[in-house]
Amino acid sequence: MELLKARILKDGILENDILKVGSFLNHQLDVELLNEIGKEFKERFQNKNIDKILTIETSGIAIAVIAAQYFKTPVIFARKTEIKSMDKEIFQSTVYSYTKEKNYNIMVAKKFIKPGENILLIDDFLARGKAIEGLIDIVGQAQGQLAGVGIVIEKGFQDGGKLLREKGVLLESLAIIDKPERGKIRFEK
Amino acid sequence: MELLKARILKDGILENDILKVGSFLNHQLDVELLNEIGKEFKERFQNKNIDKILTIETSGIAIAVIAAQYFKTPVIFARKTEIKSMDKEIFQSTVYSYTKEKNYNIMVAKKFIKPGENILLIDDFLARGKAIEGLIDIVGQAQGQLAGVGIVIEKGFQDGGKLLREKGVLLESLAIIDKPERGKIRFEK
């Protein structure tokens, strides 16, 4: 997606080879850009009859909810921490975080995914793919159908995307970045 | 807001006198309803020349980002946990959680709020108001102007709303609930 790549080049910041997009994607949110991203996801999954979009707190929520306006579906976000008002009947999966070097649980109330529903997963970043694997696990527990995975920025130099594609998952990443070198952002696609 | 109150009565669940709205507001998200909520906030703060909307992870994000489409402003969400890609220059405030019985920090990168900017705070629930107080503290640190506070559901039987109004904060709550009694949801307003 050219608009997104131009924005990453313009406002993305590399610090110790970590790409920061906090000025438009995951801390401050550019709602106009999110709308273009939402339209692009709709375009890429247009024949998929999506029933629900599933994402994960925190950074996936804004993207998923704007995209859902084009799909005309509800959004569910998996929670990482239990809250008091959460249902007792939940699907759970354990996700390993490489950043934090520990496991965490993700939770979705059972009543929100029905057997046979077509579920589209949306998230901001894909690196090793552990969070997405956890969401796929939950869709499986619910006997839902995984329609596909929509990612804003895939780190092409980590193996999450490769592993998902090898499993036959329909993965659409709007920008795929290479490993940054000498402070330069480069795109695979 | 009548549509919202009707929805709370239809789909809200009372369990041990705690109102659960996970089927449309803070776990599964009804994007059509969120749009009506966003329009209503725009109506209520229409003369306020809002520059930015500030919310807090997690449940505030979806509401704020949909509302921002009507205000045509960016959204910033305060983070409760530090992430690797977060700026080092941050405004911080400490918030006491009555639910978890402990303090937590909220953080906003300094560069996203400039002195004099008109900031609208948006969140899903207001009870004791500690999270909103933390956001107000951050707006103050940034020398921003607090334009107002938009809340979807205020718990009228807790003192957060009263304290904010006493301080002269322009607080707009779309539904104000009374203390539930004998398993009944009741509205103050």
Side-chain angles (χ1 to χ4, degrees):
Chain A
M1 184 183 172
E2 294 309 317
L3 181 76
L4 171 67
K5 289 197 271 184
R7 187 61 177 272
I8 293 169
L9 289 175
K10 179 170 167 279
D11 291 330
I13 294 172
L14 275 185
E15 222 174 81
N16 304 324
D17 286 348
I18 295 170
L19 175 63
K20 298 175 165 193
V21 290
S23 68
F24 57 97
L25 194 66
N26 58 17
H27 184 22
Q28 179 170 253
L29 308 169
D30 178 338
V31 181
E32 275 181 53
L33 177 69
L34 292 188
N35 266 286
E36 295 304 319
I37 286 171
K39 278 183 218 169
E40 181 77 20
F41 280 135
K42 173 64 185 168
E43 182 81 20
R44 295 196 185 199
F45 295 103
Q46 58 181 320
N47 301 316
K48 291 291 166 190
N49 283 317
I50 307 301
D51 293 307
K52 281 181 183 167
I53 294 176
L54 176 62
T55 187
I56 185 167
E57 64 172 270
T58 307
S59 307
I61 297 173
I63 301 157
V65 81
I66 296 289
Q69 295 180 320
Y70 298 95
F71 288 92
K72 301 190 189 310
T73 63
V75 169
I76 308 156
F77 64 89
R79 286 201 174 261
K80 293 178 185 172
T81 49
E82 206 157 347
I83 62 163
K84 217 169 153 185
S85 66
M86 186 110 187
D87 254 50
K88 294 293 164 280
E89 297 288 305
I90 51 175
F91 299 117
Q92 282 195 70
S93 191
T94 302
V95 173
Y96 183 73
S97 164
Y98 285 92
T99 321
K100 294 177 183 160
E101 293 177 350
K102 63 176 184 187
N103 286 320
Y104 61 94
N105 282 325
I106 60 173
M107 293 160 275
V108 173
K110 284 192 176 176
K111 62 184 175 193
F112 297 138
I113 309 179
K114 301 267 181 283
E117 280 186 332
N118 259 329
I119 310 294
L120 173 63
L121 307 184
I122 282 187
D123 208 358
D124 58 341
F125 272 95
L126 179 72
R128 313 279 190 120
K130 294 299 173 192
I132 290 293
E133 274 178 24
L135 293 177
I136 291 175
D137 179 25
I138 282 177
V139 172
Q141 290 177 41
Q143 298 177 269
Q145 298 291 326
L146 178 66
V149 177
I151 295 291
V152 181
I153 302 174
E154 178 183 336
K155 294 183 175 176
F157 52 96
Q158 294 190 318
D159 61 358
K162 183 169 168 281
L163 293 171
L164 288 172
R165 290 184 182 96
E166 280 173 6
K167 281 182 192 165
V169 171
L170 177 59
L171 169 63
E172 291 283 350
S173 299
L174 305 190
I176 304 182
I177 56 168
D178 262 345
K179 192 167 177 54
E181 266 180 22
R182 299 186 203 95
K184 279 228 166 179
I185 299 167
R186 303 173 306 154
F187 294 101
E188 269 184 29
K189 196 181 155 186
Chain B
M1 182 183 172
E2 294 310 316
L3 182 77
L4 172 66
K5 289 197 272 184
R7 186 61 177 273
I8 293 170
L9 289 175
K10 180 171 166 277
D11 291 329
I13 295 172
L14 274 186
E15 224 175 80
N16 304 325
D17 286 347
I18 295 169
L19 174 63
K20 297 176 166 195
V21 290
S23 67
F24 57 96
L25 193 66
N26 57 17
H27 184 23
Q28 180 170 252
L29 308 169
D30 178 338
V31 181
E32 275 181 56
L33 177 68
L34 292 189
N35 267 286
E36 295 304 318
I37 286 170
K39 279 182 218 170
E40 181 77 18
F41 280 135
K42 173 64 186 168
E43 182 79 20
R44 295 195 185 199
F45 295 101
Q46 57 182 322
N47 301 317
K48 290 291 166 191
N49 283 318
I50 307 299
D51 293 306
K52 282 182 183 167
I53 294 176
L54 176 63
T55 186
I56 185 167
E57 64 171 273
T58 308
S59 307
I61 298 173
I63 301 157
V65 80
I66 296 290
Q69 294 179 322
Y70 298 96
F71 288 91
K72 303 193 187 310
T73 63
V75 169
I76 308 156
F77 64 89
R79 287 201 173 261
K80 293 178 186 171
T81 49
E82 206 157 346
I83 61 164
K84 218 169 152 184
S85 65
M86 186 109 187
D87 253 50
K88 295 293 163 280
E89 296 289 303
I90 52 175
F91 298 117
Q92 281 196 70
S93 192
T94 302
V95 173
Y96 182 74
S97 165
Y98 285 93
T99 322
K100 295 178 182 159
E101 293 177 352
K102 63 176 184 185
N103 286 320
Y104 61 94
N105 283 326
I106 60 174
M107 292 160 275
V108 172
K110 285 191 176 177
K111 63 184 175 193
F112 297 138
I113 309 179
K114 301 268 181 283
E117 280 186 332
N118 258 329
I119 310 294
L120 174 64
L121 307 184
I122 282 187
D123 208 358
D124 58 341
F125 273 94
L126 179 73
R128 313 278 190 121
K130 294 299 175 194
I132 290 292
E133 274 179 24
L135 293 178
I136 291 175
D137 179 25
I138 282 177
V139 172
Q141 290 177 42
Q143 299 176 271
Q145 297 291 327
L146 178 67
V149 178
I151 295 291
V152 182
I153 303 174
E154 177 183 335
K155 295 182 175 175
F157 53 97
Q158 295 190 319
D159 61 359
K162 184 170 167 282
L163 293 172
L164 288 172
R165 290 185 183 96
E166 280 174 1
K167 281 184 194 163
V169 171
L170 176 60
L171 169 64
E172 291 284 348
S173 299
L174 305 189
I176 304 182
I177 57 168
D178 261 344
K179 193 165 177 56
E181 266 180 21
R182 297 184 204 95
K184 279 230 168 178
I185 298 167
R186 305 173 305 154
F187 295 100
E188 268 183 31
K189 195 181 156 187

